[in-house]
Every structure is written in structure tokens, then in C-alpha cells.
Amino acid sequence: MNRPISSSVWLLLSAILLVAALVPFDPRLSQSAQALPEPFVAFNARITDFGTFAWMIYGSAALVIIAYILARVVSSHGLAEKARAARRLSLYFLVTIGTASAVVHILKFFIGRARPEAFSDLGAYSLTPFASDWLFQSFPSGHSAAVGSFFGAFAMLAPRLRILFALGALTIGVTRVVVGAHYPSDVAAGLLVGLWSALMIAFLFARQNWVFRLDEKGWPRPKTQFPTPENV
């Protein structure tokens, strides 16, 4: 079994086990989080929308376009190479975040879990597949998938700071429970979707020799970690 497939299997099993462990506690954890002191809830409400797909996708797409234009118009070979490197790096973020967005929205549509907002009427385990209503798009958390892919991409690029990036993603994920938008199991699934996306796109880019290379064990590593004059 090759690395991308085996990694996907392990992440899927991890997601199943983690979600299964959290689901029984979803109602109590969700209600307890929403009942926290008002200043804490207000702070979480202010920072939670950092985890939206829109600004990440539009921002990375804009950087891809800008870097492409610079690579075509600058006369210096050195600057053109740096612009091409920046374009590939931005493209990595764009494809990673876009993939996470596509996967999470497909899952939302097929699963149709009711959000905590509907807890009093439908409970925590109501499923309405194929519903386009926002109220039935709780699982997985889109914000969590967004920050999972965003910080996951950074973690792939700077492995020594993975703990810091994981804490950043987890922080935004927790805000989704505090503001009553998702259950904890939704957040866990979303974060793992984002991580999977960052890893799979890194494998894809490594095979193209863009941004990453495969190490001796077949894992994608940033090209800057290899002792060659070519960084990206």
C-alpha cells in the first residue's frame, strides 16, 4: 500500500474512532460550552470567522495570479524564479483549501446533521440527508476543515512548528462549539478533513517536484529541507 492510500486509511480510522468517542458527549459538551461566561463566548464569537473558506480561497487565488503576472513581467531571472516559487506555494494553499472545502460540503450534503441550534426540537442526532438548508449542515464543521487545511498546509511546510499550528486550528475549532454552530464531533471531523487535504496535496505536489519532495521513506518534505541549491 503506498503512502497516500495508507495515510488516508489511517486518517479515516482516526476520524471514525474520534467521532465515535465524542458523539455520546456531544449534547452535554455543546450545552456546557454555550453556557460559559458571556465575555468568553463573546471573544470566541469575534475570532470564529477566521475559519471561513472564502477569505482563504480568494486570498490564495489572488496571490497565485499576482505571482504569475510578476513571473511574466519581471526582467530579472532571479526575481522571476522567486515569483514562480511564490506562485507554486500559493497554489498549494489554494488547492489544499479548495479540496477541503469540496470534501466537507459533499459530506454535509450527504449526512445532513442538524446543528445545535435545533437541539431543543430535533436533538443532537437528527440526520436529514440531501438537505440544502444551513440548519442541516452541521457535520463536518466547515470552519474547522478550513483552519485544518490552512494550518495543516503550514505544518507541512514548517514541520518543527506543527504543535503551534495544531493549537491554532484547534482553537478556532473550539470556538465553533462555544458559539453553538457545531458539536465537538463535527469539529473533530472537520479538522481531520483539513489535515487530510493538506497531506494529500503535498503528496501530489511532491510528485511534480513543486514545493515538496518525497524523502527516502516516501513522505513529502519541503524542498528547503533538502541540501540542494534549488529551494522550491
Side-chain angles (χ1 to χ4, degrees), residues 55-224:
W55 76 266
M56 297 182 189
I57 291 176
Y58 294 145
S60 55
L63 290 174
V64 170
I65 295 170
I66 292 170
Y68 175 79
I69 294 173
L70 286 175
R72 297 297 298 269
V73 301
V74 296
S75 57
S76 169
H77 176 73
L79 289 177
E81 285 297 318
K82 290 181 179 179
R84 280 189 283 270
R87 182 186 65 192
R88 291 173 180 174
L89 183 60
S90 302
L91 188 62
Y92 170 61
F93 277 91
L94 176 61
V95 177
T96 294
I97 296 164
T99 299
S101 177
V103 171
V104 81
H105 283 93
I106 290 171
L107 290 173
K108 283 175 179 288
F109 179 72
F110 278 98
I111 295 171
R113 186 183 190 182
R115 292 181 183 269
E117 181 179 323
F119 175 75
S120 60
D121 296 325
L122 301 175
Y125 308 114
S126 175
L127 303 180
T128 307
F130 314 116
S132 57
D133 191 333
W134 176 89
L135 191 62
F136 299 100
Q137 296 180 356
S138 190
F139 185 93
S141 164
H143 281 61
S144 300
V147 294
S149 60
F150 182 73
F151 286 114
F154 274 111
M156 294 300 300
L157 293 165
R160 294 182 181 179
L161 299 177
R162 281 177 179 171
I163 293 179
L164 181 62
F165 296 132
L167 289 174
L170 185 60
T171 297
I172 301 300
V174 168
T175 68
R176 304 307 291 160
V177 180
V178 175
V179 302
H182 290 284
Y183 292 104
S185 60
D186 303 335
V187 169
L191 290 173
L192 287 173
V193 167
L195 175 60
W196 173 84
S197 178
L199 181 58
M200 291 303 106
I201 303 305
F203 273 117
L204 177 63
F205 272 50
R207 296 189 183 282
Q208 299 298 320
N209 200 31
W210 291 354
V211 185
F212 300 95
R213 288 180 181 171
L214 297 177
D215 65 15
E216 66 279 359
K217 295 182 179 180
W219 292 103
R221 305 293 182 194
K223 292 175 69 174
T224 52

Side-chain angles (χ1 to χ4, degrees), residues 4-20:
I5 294 177
S6 62
S7 300
S8 296
V9 170
W10 278 111
L11 283 173
L12 177 60
L13 291 175
S14 299
I16 292 172
L17 291 173
L18 187 55
V19 169

